[in-house]
Amino acid sequence: MKLTTMLCTCLLLAACSGRVATPAGQECVEGQRIANQELEDAKVKGFGGSIQWIKAAGLLTDAAVHQQLEKYESCSDKVRRARIYINEAGK
């Protein structure tokens, strides 16, 4: 019984994460990781209240939603746009 439960769990997890393994899914996930770190760095440097920072934070929130919906191209586009705003915030 335990083996069956464990096997079902593994299959479920594999099914849920299969699309993230695509190049578009990987770009979305990795881009979010990098952009969120850049956003946090900008906040630490004192740019947390700027309009650019707020726009970037909103885009990254949207990107996370699109990732959950498996709309990876849209996710990556939002991440790219967010990174532009983050860079502008630091100028």
Side-chain angles (χ1 to χ4, degrees), residues 70-89:
E70 296 183 356
K71 295 182 178 183
Y72 299 121
E73 290 81 13
S74 179
C75 169
S76 295
D77 176 60
K78 291 182 185 306
V79 167
R80 281 190 291 276
R81 291 172 37 210
R83 293 184 74 193
I84 291 169
Y85 283 123
I86 293 166
N87 288 330
E88 288 178 1

Side-chain angles (χ1 to χ4, degrees), residues 2-3 6 13-15 17 19 21 23 25 30-31 39 42 44 46-47 50 52 61 66 68 72 75 78 81 87 91:
K2 278 189 169 189
L3 180 60
M6 188 167 51
L13 290 173
S17 65
R19 298 259 337 243
E30 183 63 14
L39 189 68
V44 168
F47 302 114
S50 73
Q52 291 85 0
T61 300
H66 284 249
Q68 293 298 314
Y72 299 121
C75 169
K78 291 182 185 306
R81 291 172 37 210
N87 288 330
K91 292 182 180 178

Side-chain angles (χ1 to χ4, degrees), residues 32-64:
Q32 283 186 78
R33 185 190 66 75
I34 292 168
N36 278 307
Q37 183 60 52
E38 291 173 347
L39 189 68
E40 185 61 31
D41 291 346
K43 184 177 179 181
V44 168
K45 291 177 184 175
F47 302 114
S50 73
I51 297 297
Q52 291 85 0
W53 189 93
I54 293 167
K55 287 179 180 180
L59 283 167
L60 290 176
T61 300
D62 288 347

